[in-house]
Amino acid sequence: MPPANPAFHGYGLGLRREHYRQVLENDAELDFVEVISENFMVDGGQPRSILRQVREQRPVALHGVSMSIGSADGLDRDYLVRLKALVDEIDPLFVSDHLSWSRFASFNAHDLLPLPYTEEALEIVCANIDQAQDVLGRRILVENPSSYVAFADGAMSEWRFLEVMCARTGCDLLLDVNNIYVSARNHRFDPAAYLEGLPFDRVRQIHLAGHSQGLELLIDTHDAAVCDAVWRLYEEVVARVGSVATMIERDDAIPPLKDLLEELAVARAIGERSAAVRLRAAQ
Amino acid sequence: MKLAALQSDFHAWLTRGSASAADRLGAGPGLVVYQNNYRSQLVSALREALPLTLTWIGEEAFVGAAAGYIDRSPPSAWTLDAYAPGFAQALAEHFPGDPEVAELAWIETALAEAFVAADAEPLTPENLARVDWEQAQLQLPPSFRMRTVRTNAEAIWTALSSGASAPQARMLDALTGLIVWRRGFTCFLKAIDDIEAAAFDQIHANPSFSALCENLVGTLGEGRGLQASSAFLATLLQFGLLTSIEAPRADASPEGGSPTPQR
């Protein structure tokens, strides 16, 4: 099994094209940035050059959307080879993707599609994670999804699925707090039960994001600020997990950088407050 | 239900809206969210890849063509970048009476491909001082793309990309070649004449410089052919289109040894 991921305490942003220049030219208070892996899995040109410049300044996490960890017919070898080349060049802080699937045979939906939480799906997911970690030579982080459907033949809870997946493969977790909130509302479960069942010792990174209200369901749109309910859930997460790499993820309706940094300051304040409480409790 | 069967049904639901597949999935109203996401994500990707084509044909026509393309050709590659070039080709069938549409879309997708193509430093005249031209093999940059067009799509692209009002679409008097390439981080689009187009075709088939000279001499006669060969080589150098010449050094031993890349 590849070596364990390092512990990293810090606060960052999902770096998007709108902010490349500002992040490169200004001394923004960012301990790390995360980029979408696929945007840089190209042969050459300016995107790759910009990423190299960003990496010279601060740690970079690679976050993928197309590994399709839940594909019943295995992973795309060409995809893995390209990701490996990027990993070798950038030496990222973390490499992550989602507990979902997007590819089936020759079809690629380019969306994070839901999995049934069955033993068969667990075996497939674990085999795919093993393959990815073998090719990449490092442990990956797997993000809990937001979902809009639950399958009738699901045999276990999502948090149990994550726990067993981590135990079998050695992978770690990227915990998206907004996704817990969205799925809890959509599927009417108690987020506290989710937190109770999670293997917090495997959480290496946290995502915070906004969502929007659909006709019947909450939609994980990443186009709004983090809402109060998600901030409260984040406080509970931080109380359990301690200080791990935490970031704001925004993919649509991208605001000015200073707005995202102000939002990140809220996360930083919550994290520091929680650390102080833990310190007092330990004394 | 086995995972493979579930994913097959999900595929049928997303791409064809299969009601029987949705029934078998038994997953409730949230399925519609995934179908909406699937289609809107693909339309967004095509809009982002072809902004000038969208401007040229308008929102309604673009979205209509995109919807048809999504129905006929679901994506297969891991990257959405690979989806737009197929749409650009499909526009030729969707707008058979407006051939400039597909040609404009080709320009946009070719420039996008060039933008992230493998890096290659262009040669300078100083790099050519010791080349054995009898053996020289000309190498174009990985970003190089070429096609022929029937319309003034290049003029339309030039106007739209600079925010100017575009000219009326019109058929050209003769087929014209267009090339796209990247130098540094800047992508270029250029119309080429018949001789240049023939020369690029020749290099594509056989990168030998002496074969290129023979071909042009055969077409144009010795005097004009050799002149055209020299002019073409100068054009390649001027525009950063020559990135490598593989040939033995002129001062190499008679046995030659292995070809040496000139960079």
Side-chain angles (χ1 to χ4, degrees):
Chain A
M1 190 179 295
N5 282 307
F8 184 86
H9 314 295
Y11 296 85
L13 288 180
L15 181 60
R16 302 297 178 256
R17 193 167 41 201
E18 290 82 350
H19 300 141
Y20 286 168
R21 195 49 56 194
Q22 265 184 290
V23 166
L24 278 171
E25 291 176 355
N26 298 315
D27 191 21
E29 197 180 356
L30 289 171
D31 302 316
F32 74 103
V33 295
E34 181 193 85
V35 297
I36 302 298
S37 310
E38 289 80 2
N39 291 346
F40 301 92
M41 289 163 58
V42 292
D43 292 329
Q46 196 168 25
R48 199 89 172 218
S49 170
I50 287 173
L51 184 58
R52 283 193 290 268
Q53 293 172 59
V54 170
R55 178 65 186 91
E56 284 172 12
Q57 294 182 343
R58 45 176 62 87
V60 170
L62 294 178
H63 185 50
V65 293
S66 294
M67 188 181 287
S68 196
I69 285 168
S71 276
D73 54 353
L75 301 183
D76 179 339
R77 182 81 191 173
D78 174 56
Y79 175 90
L80 283 181
V81 169
R82 279 184 172 268
L83 178 58
K84 164 77 170 159
L86 183 63
V87 167
D88 287 348
E89 181 175 350
I90 298 303
D91 186 21
L93 178 59
F94 301 122
V95 179
S96 62
D97 210 298
H98 301 79
L99 179 61
S100 64
W101 65 281
S102 55
R103 188 183 52 73
F104 173 71
S106 61
F107 168 68
N108 199 316
H110 294 284
D111 194 10
L112 304 170
L113 301 175
L115 285 164
Y117 296 131
T118 60
E119 182 57 39
E120 186 219 5
L122 182 60
E123 286 175 12
I124 288 169
V125 164
C126 289
N128 288 341
I129 290 173
D130 285 343
Q131 186 192 358
Q133 293 185 150
D134 282 349
V135 171
L136 299 176
R138 57 188 300 156
R139 297 194 207 193
I140 63 172
L141 275 55
V142 177
E143 179 178 342
N144 57 301
S146 56
S147 66
Y148 315 114
V149 298
F151 298 103
D153 55 357
M156 64 188 96
S157 63
E158 184 173 295
W159 50 93
R160 174 66 181 159
F161 193 98
L162 292 169
E163 181 186 19
V164 180
M165 175 190 80
C166 289
R168 287 189 191 172
T169 66
C171 77
D172 288 316
L173 292 179
L174 193 176
L175 190 63
D176 189 311
V177 180
N178 178 61
N179 286 355
I180 297 176
Y181 180 77
V182 167
S183 291
R185 282 280 303 274
N186 288 345
H187 304 311
R188 296 188 171 85
F189 64 75
D190 182 359
Y194 196 108
L195 297 189
E196 198 59 42
L198 270 182
F200 274 102
D201 59 327
R202 309 308 287 267
V203 176
R204 291 289 175 276
Q205 188 183 345
I206 291 175
H207 274 178
L208 292 161
H211 56 261
S212 57
Q213 177 67 56
L215 279 177
E216 298 178 57
L217 302 167
L218 291 187
I219 312 295
D220 183 27
T221 44
H222 292 191
D223 62 352
V226 178
C227 73
D228 289 345
V230 170
W231 281 125
R232 286 195 292 275
L233 197 54
Y234 175 61
E235 287 178 14
E236 293 181 42
V237 167
V238 170
R240 291 165 185 261
V241 78
S243 180
V244 299
T246 298
M247 53 159 276
I248 306 289
E249 190 182 32
R250 182 72 75 90
D251 292 306
D252 212 348
I254 308 280
L257 181 63
K258 75 173 185 48
D259 292 4
L260 292 177
L261 291 173
E262 285 171 12
E263 205 173 12
L264 188 62
V266 176
R268 198 184 292 268
I270 291 172
E272 289 172 355
R273 218 161 43 230
S274 180
V277 169
R278 283 196 305 278
L279 187 62
R280 278 198 300 274
Q283 287 169 347
Chain B
M1 181 187 263
K2 289 285 190 186
L3 185 59
L6 181 147
Q7 293 179 345
S8 175
D9 275 344
F10 223 106
H11 165 244
W13 164 250
L14 293 179
T15 57
R16 303 194 302 276
S18 166
S20 57
D23 285 345
R24 283 192 298 275
L25 289 168
L31 278 179
V32 175
V33 175
Y34 289 102
Q35 196 179 53
N36 289 342
N37 285 353
Y38 167 70
R39 298 187 74 82
S40 63
Q41 162 100 326
L42 294 179
V43 172
S44 294
L46 294 175
R47 292 170 65 106
E48 194 173 327
L50 302 170
L52 302 186
T53 307
L54 169 61
T55 300
W56 178 250
I57 65 177
E59 174 81 15
E60 190 176 340
F62 187 93
V63 172
Y69 178 65
I70 292 166
D71 286 339
R72 288 189 307 278
S73 306
S76 58
W78 59 264
T79 170
L80 273 173
D81 290 349
Y83 200 49
F87 180 53
Q89 288 175 19
L91 288 171
E93 290 176 24
H94 199 87
F95 297 101
D98 304 297
E100 84 285 357
V101 176
E103 292 177 352
L104 177 61
W106 177 84
I107 292 171
E108 291 198 270
T109 56
L111 287 166
E113 288 174 348
F115 184 65
V116 292
D119 299 322
E121 280 296 313
L123 296 183
T124 63
E126 292 71 37
N127 296 120
L128 308 185
R130 297 155 75 88
V131 168
D132 176 353
W133 292 103
E134 282 296 313
Q135 303 294 321
Q137 309 271 310
L138 307 182
Q139 187 73 48
L140 301 174
S143 58
F144 181 81
R145 306 284 187 277
M146 182 172 87
R147 71 163 284 169
T148 54
V149 291
R150 295 188 285 158
T151 74
N152 62 335
E154 185 222 358
I156 294 170
W157 180 87
T158 301
L160 291 176
S161 63
S162 62
S165 57
Q168 293 271 327
R170 65 177 177 80
M171 301 297 284
L172 300 176
D173 296 335
L175 289 176
T176 297
L178 292 182
I179 60 172
V180 162
W181 77 103
R182 177 165 63 80
R183 183 175 192 173
F185 293 142
T186 306
C187 295
F188 297 93
L189 168 69
K190 183 178 184 299
I192 53 175
D193 62 30
D194 288 350
I195 295 174
E196 290 171 323
F200 279 118
D201 278 340
Q202 170 65 30
I203 290 179
H204 183 69
N206 177 358
S208 158
F209 182 68
S210 62
L212 173 69
C213 293
E214 276 178 37
N215 182 280
L216 290 175
V217 165
T219 307
L220 302 171
E222 182 159 0
R224 280 189 65 209
L226 291 176
Q227 196 177 26
S229 302
S230 299
F232 182 69
L233 190 60
T235 299
L236 294 184
L237 284 169
Q238 179 189 352
F239 290 105
L241 279 160
L242 193 57
T243 56
S244 166
I245 295 181
E246 290 198 352
R249 285 182 177 278
D251 59 353
S253 65
E255 290 77 18
S258 58
T260 306
Q262 309 285 304
R263 284 195 174 275

